[in-house]
Amino acid sequence: MRVPPNQDLVVFGATGDLARRKLLPALYELSTQGLLPRRGEIVGTATRELDDLGFRAFAHDAIAEFSRTGLDEQEFATFAKRLRYVPALTDPGPKLAAVLRLPRRIIYLAVPPSSFAPILQELKDSGLSRGSSIIIEKPFGHDLDSARLLNQALHRSVPEERIYRIDHYLGKETVQNLLVFRFGNTLVERIWNRDVVSHVQLTVAEDIGVDSRGHLYEETGALRDIMQNHLFQLLALTCMSPPSSFDPEALRDEKVKVLQSIRPVAPTEVVRGQYTRGSVNGKMMPGYRELEGVSPDSTTETYIALRLAVDSWAWAGVPFYLRCGKGLITRRTEIMLFCRDVPLHLFEGTGIEALQPNRVTIRIQPDEGISFSFVAKEPGPLVVEQGVRMDFSYGNSFRTEPAEAYERLLHDALLGDHTLFIRQDETEYAWKALQPVLDNMPPIKLYPAGSDGPEEAQDLMLSGAWHPLSHHAQD
Ligand code: BG6
């Protein structure tokens, strides 16, 4: 693994939840592996009044609680030497400029979207944006117009080549493996199209609720929190054509073509849901409307399912079903491709009445792996079919623990590699496809926490059914 060139890293929102749970632990892990630049400060900035020592103590506790490999005091002492803090009460620009010594720097905006514009202006006014790269977190706007405005504001400060829009799903090993699975195996691409595939289901199910994030989530909802970004990225990687090379732009060009080919989603093809009180994994979860910061008659969706079409040569006519939600029966992210039926049912009149279609399942998390389900003859004198499966599991094949998505993404950004980041046009095309739904949100359907989501989602299915969340993906 390469060591990034010398540079300073500034983290706005350095005492926030993202920094505490993800960024500081990921930077620490990179430090222990020798994957941070040889020279360069990590400067935290936030409204909290802290000094360098206070910030180091904050980082210490965050790493002790959340780091993947646990905190080692000696490693931490080495890491902590880089940590500096600048309180951002008013105009942090000049104070930051005073501690940043290296000509190259990268600035991470781990702050709520409403703070993007003022921080970008501050960076511009203080001259700090000159030569800087910027990392920003989703959501990239809340609809097409605001995404365009945000992109314009970003471009006034830094050019696109120096912007890293993070969708942490792209940092997941299993998501990157989708490209290797598809484009590294002759057999796979042969079946990966409308000739063989009848429909595709993409699921991001979470068994956690919104918990203490009520007031933030009220502004977001499942469409903006997961559908527009994580699920559309999975869709783009599932549908993209082979790129001309593994060059970041070649890859992103192919993803853009998919996002551009999504037929604008009609509100009639969407089901929005919200969880009510219910039992999840044996524990009672309060309903979404009971949460602090949530209006008692909130119409924010905690679940969304939709059907869409990708109007491309490879995928025309194949329905794609996407769903995501919180307070569901299980946590599972997966992509399932269901194959067409065989042309002739040769076994009619035997014990086999209906044949299960072949299915490829990519388990993004948990129990990461890929399986191929097919039918086999059960041993015995009668012709009786049984569903069986060939399975690849990360746990069995590779004995190393995968790095956290943020480790990979921070390392790539420090190296200047854009492959796993979202380009301006990707985010705008994703919003464009969803804009008709944002303009005309369908009514909320309630579902009890701990279920598969609203039953109305089944009505979207042209044939077949959603793969039940209550069953293991391998079933
Ligand atoms: C985040 C969303 O982007 O992804 C959260 O804002 C969600 O609402 C989280 O819980 C899920 O991430 P993961 O990596 O646990 O699937």
Side-chain angles (χ1 to χ4, degrees):
M1 290 260 261
R2 281 195 293 151
V3 176
N6 293 340
Q7 61 201 292
D8 291 318
L9 166 67
V10 182
V11 180
F12 277 85
T15 55
D17 217 39
L18 179 68
R20 196 167 73 89
R21 288 169 180 273
K22 300 287 183 190
L23 304 184
L24 288 165
L27 289 166
Y28 167 78
E29 296 293 346
L30 291 177
S31 167
T32 63
Q33 297 161 55
L35 292 177
L36 286 181
R38 283 190 220 295
R39 281 185 55 224
E41 317 259 25
I42 296 174
V43 185
T45 175
T47 46
R48 208 187 279 191
E49 278 280 20
L50 287 178
D51 56 11
D52 291 351
L53 283 181
F55 184 50
R56 285 174 194 163
F58 174 84
H60 181 277
D61 294 350
I63 292 162
E65 190 172 353
F66 295 109
S67 93
R68 181 166 60 84
T69 57
L71 180 127
D72 176 292
E73 292 295 347
Q74 225 170 340
E75 293 283 4
F76 179 75
T78 311
F79 174 64
K81 283 191 199 131
R82 294 175 183 266
L83 297 180
R84 307 287 304 272
Y85 188 79
V86 170
L89 293 174
T90 48
D91 317 334
K95 281 177 257 160
L96 278 172
V99 292
L100 299 172
R101 305 245 160 68
L102 298 173
R104 181 174 170 143
R105 78 184 74 90
I106 189 155
I107 298 174
Y108 199 126
L109 303 190
V111 292
S114 54
S115 307
F116 287 164
I119 293 179
L120 289 169
Q121 191 60 44
E122 172 72 18
L123 292 174
K124 195 159 184 263
D125 294 347
S126 58
L128 275 179
S129 51
R130 213 171 310 121
S132 296
S133 297
I134 302 250
I135 309 179
I136 67 164
E137 275 289 329
K138 71 163 193 63
F140 314 115
H142 55 268
D143 60 6
L144 180 57
D145 285 345
S146 56
R148 284 183 174 148
L149 287 175
L150 173 61
N151 283 328
Q152 284 163 13
L154 278 165
H155 290 158
R156 277 196 293 274
S157 297
V158 282
E160 183 65 25
E161 314 79 82
R162 286 199 263 116
I163 298 172
Y164 297 84
R165 292 180 194 79
I166 283 205
D167 179 318
H168 80 279
Y169 264 57
L170 295 183
K172 291 183 190 275
E173 278 291 341
T174 39
V175 173
Q176 292 157 41
N177 185 49
L178 191 50
L179 294 178
V180 177
F181 179 59
R182 288 194 52 199
F183 303 129
N185 296 295
T186 313
L187 284 179
V188 176
E189 274 308 286
R190 295 288 181 273
I191 62 160
W192 213 262
N193 54 57
R194 66 189 303 282
D195 296 340
V196 177
V197 175
S198 72
H199 80 277
V200 182
Q201 296 185 15
L202 297 101
T203 300
V204 175
E206 294 181 278
D207 53 3
I208 52 167
V210 172
D211 305 332
S212 58
R213 294 204 302 153
H215 70 285
L216 269 180
Y217 200 82
E218 276 287 85
E219 307 280 302
T220 325
L223 184 153
R224 296 183 169 96
D225 189 38
I226 298 221
M227 181 64 75
Q228 189 269 351
N229 34 75
H230 302 332
L231 265 168
F232 269 37
Q233 283 296 317
L234 293 182
L235 176 74
L237 292 170
T238 304
C239 295
M240 65 186 266
S241 300
S244 55
S245 71
F246 210 57
D247 170 79
E249 296 319 317
L251 206 114
R252 300 200 295 179
D253 285 348
E254 293 305 329
K255 281 202 292 165
V256 165
K257 285 186 206 159
V258 175
L259 296 166
Q260 206 174 1
S261 316
I262 300 174
R263 202 180 299 166
V265 179
T268 48
E269 317 260 279
V270 175
V271 171
R272 292 166 71 235
Q274 190 186 73
Y275 67 85
T276 55
R277 173 174 283 266
S279 162
V280 185
N281 302 325
K283 273 179 72 184
M284 194 49 77
M285 181 179 282
Y288 176 69
R289 288 180 190 173
E290 297 172 50
L291 298 180
E292 205 185 310
V294 174
S295 151
D297 49 10
S298 165
T299 56
T300 302
E301 77 285 347
T302 59
Y303 173 100
I304 185 163
L306 56 81
R307 181 173 72 221
L308 59 75
V310 176
D311 287 332
S312 69
W313 197 261
W315 296 106
V318 176
F320 285 82
Y321 299 95
L322 285 70
R323 63 179 162 173
C324 59
K326 293 196 188 286
L328 297 171
I329 187 170
T330 192
R331 170 174 181 255
R332 184 183 310 156
T333 298
E334 69 200 5
I335 303 169
M336 284 184 164
L337 289 89
F338 291 79
C339 297
R340 293 188 185 285
D341 291 333
V342 289
L344 260 184
H345 187 3
L346 288 178
F347 309 107
E348 241 160 348
T350 67
I352 302 179
E353 290 314 324
L355 289 166
Q356 294 284 327
N358 295 147
R359 195 178 74 219
V360 180
T361 303
I362 295 150
R363 301 190 301 276
I364 305 289
Q365 63 189 28
D367 184 21
E368 293 76 2
I370 297 177
S371 64
F372 173 57
S373 312
F374 56 103
V375 290
K377 179 185 168 302
E378 226 181 67
L382 299 177
V383 184
V384 178
E385 62 116 351
Q386 165 134 353
V388 292
R389 116 193 113 73
M390 291 198 279
D391 192 46
F392 150 64
S393 133
Y394 277 76
N396 289 336
S397 299
F398 305 117
R399 305 227 167 251
T400 58
E401 169 136 349
E404 262 278 313
Y406 276 95
E407 287 171 45
R408 172 67 198 261
L409 294 174
L410 279 163
H411 186 239
D412 280 4
L414 290 166
L415 284 170
D417 182 342
H418 277 89
T419 311
L420 300 177
F421 295 89
I422 314 283
R423 208 166 63 187
Q424 168 195 0
D425 42 3
E426 290 181 67
T427 176
E428 290 184 13
Y429 280 120
W431 282 120
K432 200 168 172 192
L434 288 166
Q435 194 58 46
V437 184
L438 291 167
D439 290 342
N440 202 349
M441 287 283 214
I444 285 286
K445 309 287 175 192
L446 300 176
Y447 62 96
S451 67
D452 267 27
E455 278 167 16
E456 288 83 351
Q458 291 294 349
D459 302 341
L460 295 172
M461 286 287 165
L462 294 176
S463 62
W466 288 101
H467 191 75
L469 290 174
S470 35
H471 286 190
H472 194 275
Q474 297 168 353
D475 294 344

